Amino acid sequence: MSKTDSPDPGSKVPADLELVLSDDSTTTLGDYAGKWLVLYFYPKDHTPGCTTEGRDFDALLPEFQALGAEILGISRDSAKTHSNFRAKQGFRFELVADREETVCNAFGVIAEKNMYGRKVMGIVRSTFLIDPRGVVAHRWQPVKVPGHAQAVLDELKARQQS
């Protein structure tokens, strides 16, 4: 996947992009204007890497919130699956159900992957740090889970100090 498929740092995100939350309510990216926003895209609920990534972000959530940042995890799973995943893991941040891949396509995170020798289209684990003006401040793509949530927090701290 080429990085030109995803919004580059400095790009404005689509404020009217609708987000379906785990309780089936909806919001938009524009509703987060004025706050820092971490959007992390992950392949599937209830899988080892995605569980670890979510736990890592949840463990650091108070630090993100102290810096005025919200976290949203996004995958193609349903709101019901997200609700169960959040409850089982005790995640305190929202998960976005992107069944139609609208958000995934807007951020260019769908690509061909090799799964057990088969070619499939799936989410490339990716994270976007969006500033209070709705502009991509930093992009991580692809993401390796160990240490990633801390790296995002460190980048947020560095951005706020500059």
Side-chain angles (χ1 to χ4, degrees):
M1 182 178 96
S2 74
K3 292 194 177 191
T4 57
D5 295 334
S6 294
D8 288 319
S11 301
K12 191 106 168 119
V13 298
D16 60 348
L17 198 58
E18 187 174 89
L19 308 173
V20 178
L21 305 177
S22 61
D23 64 0
D24 245 344
S25 66
T26 59
T27 187
T28 65
L29 279 179
D31 291 335
Y32 293 90
K35 295 181 177 183
W36 286 88
L37 181 61
V38 174
L39 293 182
Y40 82 92
F41 292 83
Y42 65 97
K44 191 150 184 60
D45 290 343
H46 304 288
T47 58
C50 298
T51 299
T52 298
E53 186 175 26
R55 285 178 179 164
D56 290 350
F57 274 115
D58 191 70
L60 296 173
L61 184 63
E63 291 183 65
F64 278 101
Q65 290 175 331
L67 296 170
E70 295 290 330
I71 298 171
L72 295 175
I74 304 172
S75 80
R76 300 183 300 178
D77 292 303
S78 69
K80 181 174 175 34
T81 303
H82 278 343
S83 181
N84 292 339
F85 188 41
R86 279 186 77 210
K88 182 176 181 179
Q89 299 302 327
F91 294 158
R92 297 167 289 174
F93 57 86
E94 265 298 342
L95 299 176
V96 175
D98 192 24
R99 302 290 291 165
E100 305 298 317
E101 299 178 0
T102 310
V103 184
C104 289
N105 287 327
F107 282 86
V109 300
I110 302 285
E112 189 175 84
K113 298 166 73 174
N114 199 343
M115 295 283 281
Y116 309 110
R118 290 182 334 158
K119 300 276 187 201
V120 296
M121 295 304 285
I123 291 179
V124 174
R125 196 179 301 275
S126 308
T127 301
F128 298 84
L129 178 61
I130 300 167
D131 76 14
R133 299 168 297 137
V135 173
V136 176
H138 198 89
R139 173 183 66 206
W140 293 263
Q141 191 176 44
V143 164
K144 298 286 186 215
V145 172
H148 176 62
Q150 184 64 55
V152 176
L153 181 61
D154 292 345
E155 180 67 25
L156 175 61
K157 287 177 180 175
R159 296 259 171 192
Q160 290 189 355
Q161 291 170 357
S162 60

